[in-house]
Amino acid sequence: MTISKDLLDDLLKGCERPEDLLDDAGLMKELKIRLMERMLGAFEEK
């Protein structure tokens, strides 16, 4: 799987400081939560 440059650009909009990515309310934490929820949902559907 490849993540497109456009998708990355969209995700990084509004991120101006490292904290915007790495804080407890940052993008990385939200991505991790959303990916885990999505994966668990996919397993439940099977």
Side-chain angles (χ1 to χ4, degrees):
M1 177 184 172
T2 302
I3 298 173
S4 73
K5 181 184 178 311
D6 291 336
L7 176 56
L8 288 173
D9 289 344
D10 285 344
L11 288 170
L12 292 172
K13 283 181 186 171
C15 291
E16 298 174 0
R17 314 168 289 146
E19 295 84 10
D20 296 334
L21 293 173
L22 303 173
D23 271 359
D24 284 339
L27 177 63
M28 294 299 290
K29 183 171 183 176
E30 182 160 352
L31 279 173
K32 185 170 37 174
I33 290 169
R34 298 276 183 117
L35 286 169
M36 291 300 290
E37 290 173 347
R38 188 69 171 254
M39 287 176 17
L40 291 171
F43 288 129
E44 291 174 359
E45 291 175 7
K46 291 183 179 184

